[in-house]
Amino acid sequence: MQWKKTQTGFYHDGKLYPFSDAVDFLRFPILTPVEKFRLGTTILRASRLKDWRSIENVTVEEWLTGLSGSGVFNKIWRPLLRAKLGEEYKTTAATFLWATIQRLYAARNTGMKEELFGYLPGGYAAMLAKFEDALTSLGVTLRKSAKVQSIRRNEGGLCIHFAGGERVPFQRVIVTAPSAIAAQVCEGLADEEKEKHRKIEYLGIICASVLTKSRISNYYVTNILDETIPFTGLIEMSALVDASELKGHGLFYIPRYLRPDHADFARSDEDLQSEMLRSLKRMHPHLKDDDVVAFRISRARHVFPRPTLGYSTKVPAVDTTVPGLSIVNSAHVINGTLNANETIALATKEALRIHSKAN
Ligand SMILES: Cc1cc2nc3c(=O)[nH]c(=O)nc-3n(C[C@H](O)[C@H](O)[C@H](O)COP(=O)(O)OP(=O)(O)OC[C@H]3O[C@@H](n4cnc5c(N)ncnc54)[C@H](O)[C@@H]3O)c2cc1C
């Protein structure tokens, strides 16, 4: 892992503002001094709150307006929440933001004086290739790009039916696909179990990866307060990773979170690209069309299980009523944020528990 200090920016009313340290915060022109004080105390109070259950049935809007006042809510929190959650922010629990603030503070609690971001040279692809080598050498069979159509129980045990017709028997199956998909592919679940999985409300994502001739900014994260920009934020990897990794190119991601049934999932790549580029050029007027070396769009409809009110009471059990079948996914991360650390911690805990139960 490589660790680096990064910079953050805010885009508001046609301008980019740095927001990386105390000096930037004091100079930040969007909030009055009283609003800055209220924003600071909100973050401090959220970082000190340990009893998340006390806010699990409060909407994030109610909670933040109470702590920060409506000025800070309308200028900062609402645009940020809308960018990430769309109109669904109105029914999202306060624990969503509490968990985000807790995660940011966790780095400080480790004793580090400053926040550092870590990246793995070569990215996830390098890590997955190592995993593949290690698992294959242990005799594990990996089937990649294999779509599971259904999982059924028969006299002999469980059987996975793959798209293409192949059927493979197993004694135990642990499904880690999102709940909406698990409910579709797992046959024989009780109606209430299926319903619990179907009721987990997901946000999907359309995310562009853009390679440019050179870096476009110094900000790893640019938060967007302008509600006419059609994406959540701008994540510039080239402001984080060493320039040699990308041979001097700029690489950034343009995420946009949407409900799984949003009509934009059906829009063509060309259409989305021209809309995103238009907004990007508004934010970075020096960027020209021929600076773009590659532009790729990915879509996933079920990515982020949104913490709704009383979320912890709605999560389905990991072990199902079908013998040998368990379902565990990021919907089981209760009062945490969606990130690789939480996912790996959950997977480790559940794998050990399921293994020891079976033996
Ligand atoms: C834009 C974005 C940026 C992120 N950045 C970070 C970051 O910087 N750091 C960080 O820690 N986390 C980050 N995350 C979060 C991280 O990606 C998730 O925490 C993690 O991917 C969750 O892993 P998972 O295995 O539970 O789910 P997923 O990664 O969603 O995996 C589910 C898998 O199930 C597969 N699947 C679905 N249906 C079927 C089927 N029928 N048959 C077979 N397979 C199926 C899917 O193809 C998919 O591969 C980011 C997420 C997004 C969307």
Side-chain angles (χ1 to χ4, degrees):
M1 291 289 285
Q2 302 289 314
W3 296 93
K4 251 184 93 173
K5 196 164 162 49
T6 59
Q7 294 186 44
T8 299
F10 267 87
Y11 180 74
H12 172 75
D13 213 8
K15 284 203 191 96
L16 278 161
Y17 298 97
F19 200 84
S20 302
D21 54 29
V23 176
D24 292 342
F25 182 64
L26 291 175
R27 287 192 183 141
F28 194 55
I30 295 154
L31 299 174
T32 65
V34 172
E35 287 170 341
K36 282 179 193 168
F37 178 75
R38 295 200 75 177
L39 177 62
T41 54
T42 300
I43 294 172
L44 199 65
R45 284 179 68 180
S47 73
R48 291 190 177 154
L49 179 76
K50 294 289 163 249
D51 177 20
W52 54 265
R53 284 186 200 277
S54 64
I55 54 167
E56 203 192 17
N57 282 300
V58 179
T59 66
V60 67
E61 179 172 13
E62 271 177 85
W63 186 60
L64 288 174
T65 309
L67 287 175
S68 302
S70 54
V72 180
F73 183 80
N74 289 329
K75 290 184 196 173
I76 299 281
W77 294 122
R78 198 175 74 98
L80 290 180
L81 290 170
R82 278 200 67 207
K84 181 88 182 188
L85 305 164
E87 289 308 313
E88 274 62 44
Y89 82 84
K90 291 178 183 156
T91 54
T92 299
T95 43
F96 165 72
L97 202 82
W98 171 83
T100 309
I101 292 171
Q102 290 284 319
R103 186 178 181 220
L104 292 176
Y105 263 77
R108 298 263 164 98
N109 293 341
T110 58
M112 293 194 319
K113 294 223 167 49
E114 53 182 8
E115 264 167 28
L116 298 176
F117 267 85
Y119 73 91
L120 192 64
Y124 279 121
M127 184 182 72
L128 294 175
K130 285 272 180 205
F131 279 157
E132 188 174 354
D133 286 350
L135 289 168
T136 310
S137 69
L138 289 171
V140 176
T141 304
L142 295 171
R143 286 163 196 262
K144 298 188 286 183
S145 305
K147 186 176 178 187
V148 171
Q149 213 139 47
S150 67
I151 301 163
R152 294 180 197 167
R153 177 137 200 116
N154 54 31
E155 309 81 62
L158 290 159
C159 184
I160 297 191
H161 293 223
F162 288 99
E166 195 187 359
R167 294 171 182 207
V168 185
F170 289 94
Q171 279 178 308
R172 294 199 64 84
V173 174
I174 304 175
V175 176
T176 61
S179 278
I181 294 167
Q184 267 168 29
V185 299
C186 296
E187 297 190 0
L189 293 177
D191 288 346
E192 318 79 83
E193 283 177 310
K194 270 202 175 153
E195 206 43 32
K196 275 195 152 183
H197 281 287
R198 285 200 193 109
K199 279 195 170 152
I200 302 285
E201 290 187 31
Y202 276 86
L203 284 178
I205 192 162
I206 295 178
C207 188
S209 312
V210 188
L211 194 69
T212 46
K213 284 182 184 160
S214 56
R215 234 163 99 159
I216 62 166
S217 80
N218 292 325
Y219 302 125
Y220 172 55
V221 176
T222 305
N223 295 301
I224 296 172
L225 299 179
D226 179 336
E227 296 185 25
T228 64
I229 298 278
F231 36 81
T232 306
L234 206 56
I235 314 295
E236 180 155 2
M237 280 306 281
S238 33
L240 171 65
V241 306
D242 197 81
S244 62
E245 287 258 342
L246 299 164
K247 300 194 175 79
H249 285 95
L251 173 65
F252 50 95
Y253 302 116
I254 314 179
R256 180 167 175 210
Y257 287 87
L258 302 164
R259 286 172 59 101
D261 57 0
H262 199 286
D264 280 6
F265 278 107
R267 284 172 64 187
S268 69
D269 284 7
E270 295 70 33
D271 194 17
L272 289 167
Q273 175 171 337
S274 65
E275 183 189 56
M276 284 178 172
L277 269 179
R278 244 192 335 270
S279 298
L280 204 57
K281 286 192 279 189
R282 254 177 69 202
M283 291 175 67
H284 293 283
H286 62 277
L287 188 74
K288 302 280 170 283
D289 282 341
D290 67 0
D291 292 330
V292 177
V293 178
F295 199 109
R296 300 271 185 282
I297 293 187
S298 313
R299 298 170 183 77
R301 286 181 195 259
H302 301 100
V303 169
F304 170 51
R306 192 168 59 85
T308 46
L309 296 186
Y311 184 79
S312 69
T313 61
K314 299 178 186 169
V315 176
V318 169
D319 294 333
T320 73
T321 51
V322 177
L325 177 68
S326 307
I327 302 172
V328 59
N329 57 40
S330 44
H332 293 94
V333 173
I334 295 168
N335 298 310
T337 58
L338 180 74
N339 68 72
N341 283 2
E342 297 268 10
T343 312
I344 292 166
L346 174 72
T348 308
K349 182 179 123 215
E350 287 300 330
L352 291 173
R353 187 189 63 80
I354 293 168
H355 179 71
S356 66
K357 201 176 137 207
N359 290 291

